[in-house]
Structure formats: structure tokens, C-alpha cells
Amino acid sequence: MLKYVFIVMICLVFSKSLIAQSKWQPKGILYTDKNITVEIEYLLSPNSCNNDNNQSYYRYRITKIGKARNYYINWRFDFFNCSNELKTQLNSVLINSNTKLGIIMPPNNAFFAKKMANFSNDIRISKSLPEIGFYKPSSPLSMEPIAIKGSTELNSGESTTLTLEGGNLAQGATWMWYEENCGTKLIGTGPSLTLSPDHTFTIFVRGEGKNITSCTSTKINVNKKSIAAKVIRGRAVICEGEQNITLSVEGGKLSGVAKWVWYANSCDGEKIGEGASINVSPIKTTTYFVRAEDGSDKTACKSFLLSVTNKSIIPNAIIGDVNTLYGNEITLTVSGGYLAANAKWVWYKGSSPNRTMIGTGYSINTGRIYSPDTFSVRAEGDCNNTEFLSKVINIKNAPKSGNINTTNSKNRFFINGGIVFNDVSSATKTNNFNITLGGGGKVGWFAKVKISSKSTDAPFKTNNTSLTAYGVPGYYSYNGNTVSERTAYTAGLFFGNNIVSGYIGGGYGNRKLLWGINKYQYDSIIPLSASYAENINNSFKGAEIEAGIILRYGFINIMGGVSSIQFKYTDFNAGVGFNF
């Protein structure tokens, strides 16, 4: 009896061995030439992705061997992994004097594959192993994703972005998203989908192209509850006494019989109304709240601070001398009163209705006073303008009318610095500057110097940018660079009033325009060096005249004008400076 049991066991082991060997599948010739033929075989696991770690394998079978030599057969195969992603595996088999007929079982020949894309690809013969690089796998088949990722538990009105885990698209294929069933209601395409559903449903996705994959699905659960307001819109700052200020809900969503409920001071404080908007008339700064309510179902509260600004109050007095000497300056200062938020004290000179604004702030300098005058101040701002508070300044020791000479009143010395614009289309290109000194009142004098911040050597002079010979070996060409150098010495007079004056003057000026050139050897297109050539037709020197305007106010002055050399070349200049 034991003999029969032993024979049965031997037969079972032998049959299992035969079955295991029969699972190796030949997939044709991997490589062949006059010396060698290498076939490739696979042992593919039907359930390698079922958490049982049943891997797949490959091996080589040498069916012809002749004159062997040392070289590698480098190749790869493509497969779908357990996430249905298309992957590639790079392999190499060494053929040398030890290679024999029969089976070669390479090391590290195991892999996890749900499906094969191809069994051999990109076969190359090399003296060395291939460099590790980027190999893009290819397959005419698409594979479905293994899952849809993203938030699937939503409140009504919320959005979610769904993405795919795994899967592969063949060339020309597209992911297609459907509601309820594949091939029915198409709701989007692409590797991700953003949606804001208002009901619960099941979403499906599949790859469509030359082949259509299986469908992958997930359920989107929508909880139809109210959604809190996103923000409260309305004026954030109002003036004291304003009424019926509208506040309104923006964003959020009401579900069922829910309604927006408004509160003051706290979310569970004084209820002040219902609806998507409300009018309020606060007498002080107040925080308002709103939320959606449906019985015990309440959303989070959204708050809004409404600030109430007090009105400005007229000053109690203007502090400063009532009497001053002829030609003196005095300082006037606000005393008392109140400035609301964003309001300021504004000063005026003269009597109504001919008041002229002269400045802002708690204090003001009157400037030189030559006759009795009225100075006034009031608060001006968003909430209100107060009444004027005025002060009359009287003059003492004024000269008799026959002795008054105001021709050059406010005699001042000034200095001004600025830029000479040789290219008015781009102020950033200038490298020429000017400085001006002057003095006087309604009539005065000035002297100006123009200088360049660059002093560029130009060994050549020409008018032809394509000139190819400058008297030295090689050739030259224009490289597009230009430099404009400007110098001038002028003086003149200005006349007008103590604020706005016109000026005119003359002197000597020079403008030199330089072209950038590259030097080349005759047999090369690579420049050896760069230099400059003076543009003769656009370089000028000689008598220069200029005219412009001077603005003088307080400690600041601004000058702007135009200059011309012999009426052949014209440029502009502008500057800012100080009065002393």
C-alpha cells in the first residue's frame, strides 16, 4: 500500500513540475545574427496584483551559439503595473565566451505586472551597459484608473476636484467623465474634474480612443444644508448721524425653509431682522452678524464691523500775532476743535468770497505780509466741513506808498539740478545732466552748466554705419550702441512773478554723438573688440540758446526748458532744486 502512495506522490510532484514549466511562454526571438540566436520567455502571474505577491518573470533561451565575443544585448519591455500605469523595464544580457546553449536565468528578473504592453522593444547591441536615461513606454491600449480621488462628502454649494489614481491613456485617447453610467450624460473630460454638485449621484470615468477601457466610479454624497455667508457687503465707515445703511449677504446658500437672520453685537445677541439685506442706523461703532437658520440647523456666523465717525468741530481760536511789522512772516496755529477721521485743517487767505487756499495742517506760515490781510481755517473731510474761523493780521511801520518798491520783492537765491533729455522717448537712456544757479525776485539771473557722466574715446569719425575700413587691418560694423555726450555753458535772465517765471539765455554748447562699432578679422564673424566712431553729421558745437519756465514755491523750485545749438540740434532739460 505504501508503495502505491509513494508512486502517486511522485506522479503529483512530476505533474506539478510539468505544469510549472509549461507556464513559461516563448515570445519569439529577442536577437539573432550569424553567431547567436537569443529567444525570450515569460512566466506571467495571473494574479500578481491581488496582494499575494505572485510576481512575473522573464528568462533567455540560447538556441544557437557560434563565435562568441564580449558584448551586451540591451533591451526593454513595457507593462501595466498594479495601478494600471504604463511602465518600462530596462534589461541587459552579456554574451561572452562562457555563454552556452540553453536557458539563462538573469538575476533580478521578477516584476509585478497586471498586463503586458509589449514583450521586447528597443533592442540594441553595445560594448557596455546602457546609460540610465529616460525611456518612454508605449502601448496602443488604454487602461482604466484604479480609483477616483478627491472629496466626495460635500455640502450643497461646495465644490470638489476629482483626480485619477493610476490608469493610462494611449495616444489620441481621452478621459471621459459621466453621471450615473458610462456613455450616458457626459459632464467633463481630462485627467481631473472640478464640479459643484447640488445632488447625490455616482460619477464614472473611462478612457476612450482606439480602445475603450472599463469604467471606474465613485459616489458623490451631497448634504443639502445651508452654507454660511461668504462675506457681508456694505459701507464700513459712516459719519455720525447717517441712517439707513444697507448691509447685504454675499455668497452662502439657503436650503429648504432656511432664512438669513441678522444680529447686533454678538451672534446670539439682539436679533435685528431677517432677509438677504438689512438697513441699520447705528449711533456708535457696532459689529453686525448674519447666519442661515432653519430651526436648530444654523450655519456659522459672518461678522461685519461698521465704524461710526464723529463729525469735526470748529477750532476755539487761532493762535498767532495780530500785529506784525511790514514784510514779516508769522506762524498761525489751531487751538481746540476736533478733527474727524480722514479730516484735516485747511488754511485760506483773503475774505469771503475771495478766499485762496494756502496750506493744510495744525500750523501755517503766512509768508511775508505787506498789507493787512485775513487768514481763515476750517476742518474739511469726509463727514463734514466746519464753519471758517478767521483772524485779521494788521501791519505796523508800513512805508509810505511812494517809497514802496516791490519790483524785486522776495529776493531769493536758488540752485537746481536735472537731466538733459537727448532721447525724449526714453528718459532712462540719458547720461547728461545740468546744474543751475540763480537769484532774484520778479526779475533775476541764472547761470547753467551741462555736463556728461561719460567720456567715451572715439578714435574714428564717420557718417556711414556700414563703413568697413578705418585705416587699420580688419573690418568694422555698427553694433547698435549709441552714446550722446553733452556740454554747455549758458547764462541769462528770468522774469515773471515770485512763483512762475520765464527764462531765456545763451552761451556755448557742444553735442557729440558716438556710434558703437565692432572690429572683425576678414575671415571671422566673431568680433575681436568694440570701439566707437563719432557721427560727424549729428555732432554739433557753437552758439547755444535756451528758454524755459521756473516754478518757485516755498523751499522747492522746478525748471524745465529747451536748448538749441545753432538751431541745428535741439534737446530738452528738466530739474528740481531748493530756494534759499
Side-chain angles (χ1 to χ4, degrees):
M1 181 67 180
L2 290 174
K3 180 173 70 174
Y4 291 111
V5 172
F6 181 73
I7 292 172
V8 169
M9 291 179 63
I10 291 175
C11 290
L12 289 174
V13 170
F14 182 73
S15 64
K16 286 185 177 181
S17 176
L18 289 175
I19 292 172
Q21 289 188 18
S22 67
K23 290 182 180 179
W24 283 96
Q25 302 174 21
K27 293 300 178 182
I29 295 174
L30 177 67
Y31 176 77
T32 184
D33 60 22
K34 64 181 181 179
N35 293 313
I36 191 170
T37 297
V38 181
E39 297 179 355
I40 185 69
E41 297 179 347
Y42 287 87
L43 180 61
L44 300 176
S45 172
N47 54 2
S48 62
C49 294
N50 294 339
N51 298 321
D52 50 11
N53 291 323
N54 288 330
Q55 294 175 291
S56 297
Y57 301 88
Y58 69 93
R59 69 184 184 186
Y60 307 102
R61 183 182 294 274
I62 310 298
T63 59
K64 182 179 76 174
I65 187 72
K67 183 181 179 182
R69 56 189 186 278
N70 291 326
Y71 61 86
Y72 288 90
I73 301 174
N74 299 317
W75 65 288
R76 64 185 177 94
F77 63 85
D78 302 324
F79 62 95
F80 292 98
N81 66 8
C82 295
S83 295
N84 289 353
E85 297 169 326
L86 186 59
K87 299 293 183 180
T88 192
Q89 178 161 320
L90 183 63
N91 311 296
S92 297
V93 56
L94 175 62
I95 305 301
N96 57 21
S97 58
N98 295 322
T99 303
K100 307 295 182 184
L101 292 172
I103 294 174
I104 298 177
M105 187 71 72
N108 302 320
N109 67 330
F111 59 98
F112 286 100
K114 183 178 288 187
K115 188 174 184 178
M116 295 297 294
N118 58 67
F119 295 95
S120 61
N121 196 8
D122 198 23
I123 303 166
R124 302 182 184 182
I125 306 303
S126 173
K127 293 293 185 181
S128 61
L129 292 172
E131 294 183 1
I132 301 300
F134 177 75
Y135 290 83
K136 184 177 180 180
S138 61
S139 173
L141 298 177
S142 298
M143 288 285 284
E144 71 276 3
I146 63 170
I148 298 175
K149 300 175 66 177
S151 178
T152 57
E153 297 293 332
L154 306 172
N155 291 320
S156 179
E158 292 180 338
S159 63
T160 182
T161 297
L162 304 178
T163 57
L164 303 178
E165 180 180 354
N168 175 73
L169 284 179
Q171 184 176 2
T174 305
W175 297 118
M176 310 292 283
W177 299 78
Y178 297 95
E179 182 177 339
E180 296 307 338
N181 281 298
C182 274
T184 56
K185 183 181 178 181
L186 180 67
I187 59 175
T189 61
S192 65
L193 180 67
T194 299
L195 67 165
S196 301
D198 58 2
H199 62 283
T200 296
F201 69 98
T202 301
I203 191 168
F204 292 78
V205 66
R206 70 184 180 186
E208 297 185 12
K210 291 183 178 180
N211 73 299
I212 298 177
T213 71
S214 300
C215 284
T216 303
S217 64
T218 189
K219 187 175 182 180
I220 308 295
N221 293 309
V222 178
N223 184 5
K224 292 189 176 182
K225 289 185 176 181
S226 297
I227 301 173
K230 183 178 181 182
V231 71
I232 297 174
R233 293 294 184 190
R235 290 173 56 193
V237 180
I238 65 171
C239 296
E240 180 183 12
E242 287 193 74
Q243 296 183 341
N244 295 323
I245 308 304
T246 300
L247 304 179
S248 58
V249 172
E250 182 175 300
K253 185 176 182 180
L254 294 177
S255 178
V257 296
K259 54 190 174 182
W260 297 113
V261 183
W262 296 83
Y263 297 89
N265 299 316
S266 74
C267 200
D268 292 311
E270 176 191 0
K271 180 179 176 180
I272 59 173
E274 297 177 354
S277 64
I278 191 171
N279 290 336
V280 295
S281 302
I283 60 175
K284 62 179 181 179
T285 297
T286 304
T287 302
Y288 295 95
F289 298 82
V290 68
R291 68 185 175 192
E293 296 185 7
D294 179 7
S296 60
D297 183 15
K298 301 174 182 179
T299 68
C301 272
K302 181 60 64 174
S303 63
F304 182 84
L305 179 65
L306 200 161
S307 299
V308 179
T309 300
N310 295 330
K311 291 183 177 181
S312 299
I313 300 174
I314 189 172
N316 298 330
I318 297 175
I319 299 175
D321 293 337
V322 175
N323 301 304
T324 187
L325 295 175
Y326 174 82
N328 274 5
E329 300 178 356
I330 62 173
T331 298
L332 301 178
T333 303
V334 168
S335 176
Y338 171 77
L339 278 181
N342 300 320
K344 57 186 176 182
W345 299 117
V346 183
W347 294 86
Y348 293 84
K349 180 179 179 180
S351 301
S352 178
N354 299 316
R355 292 188 178 99
T356 302
M357 192 186 81
I358 58 174
T360 62
Y362 277 91
S363 298
I364 191 74
N365 185 286
T366 62
R368 297 183 183 274
I369 304 176
Y370 298 98
S371 61
D373 212 339
T374 300
F375 294 86
S376 305
V377 67
R378 71 174 179 181
E380 297 182 6
D382 296 336
C383 285
N384 69 306
N385 295 339
T386 68
E387 297 293 326
F388 283 103
L389 180 65
S390 300
K391 189 181 188 74
V392 177
I393 308 299
N394 297 309
I395 303 301
K396 297 189 301 183
N397 299 331
K400 295 180 180 181
S401 58
N403 296 326
I404 298 176
N405 181 4
T406 59
T407 302
N408 279 315
S409 60
K410 278 196 174 180
N411 287 313
R412 290 181 177 181
F413 174 75
F414 69 87
I415 185 170
N416 182 284
I419 299 173
V420 179
F421 297 99
N422 307 111
D423 182 357
V424 295
S425 65
S426 177
T428 60
K429 291 184 178 180
T430 186
N431 53 278
N432 299 296
F433 306 92
N434 66 73
I435 185 168
T436 306
L437 302 176
K442 294 182 177 179
V443 177
W445 60 273
F446 76 92
K448 179 181 291 187
V449 176
K450 297 184 180 74
I451 57 175
S452 176
S453 63
K454 291 187 177 181
S455 181
T456 306
D457 183 37
F460 312 120
K461 293 184 178 182
T462 183
N463 283 320
N464 184 359
T465 57
S466 62
L467 193 63
T468 59
Y470 287 87
V472 293
Y475 69 96
Y476 295 78
S477 67
Y478 177 51
N479 61 22
N481 293 325
T482 59
V483 175
S484 181
E485 295 183 359
R486 187 78 161 88
T487 57
Y489 307 92
T490 57
L493 299 174
F494 65 83
F495 44 87
N497 58 41
N498 291 316
I499 297 178
V500 182
S501 302
Y503 71 85
I504 187 168
Y508 176 83
N510 179 32
R511 188 261 186 159
K512 184 166 62 173
L513 177 63
L514 307 178
W515 275 338
I517 54 175
N518 288 338
K519 179 181 178 181
Y520 301 83
Q521 290 182 341
Y522 283 115
D523 58 349
S524 174
I525 61 171
I526 300 175
L528 294 176
S529 62
S531 183
Y532 284 89
E534 182 178 344
N535 185 322
I536 299 172
N537 283 353
N538 290 286
S539 297
F540 308 92
K541 59 184 177 180
E544 177 167 335
I545 62 170
E546 63 178 324
I549 295 176
I550 306 174
L551 301 178
R552 293 177 295 167
Y553 188 81
F555 294 107
I556 303 298
N557 65 74
I558 299 173
M559 293 185 68
V562 60
S563 304
S564 179
I565 301 175
Q566 296 181 340
F567 297 103
K568 296 179 179 180
Y569 170 76
T570 302
D571 55 18
F572 301 88
N573 57 83
V576 64
F578 299 97
N579 303 316
F580 299 95

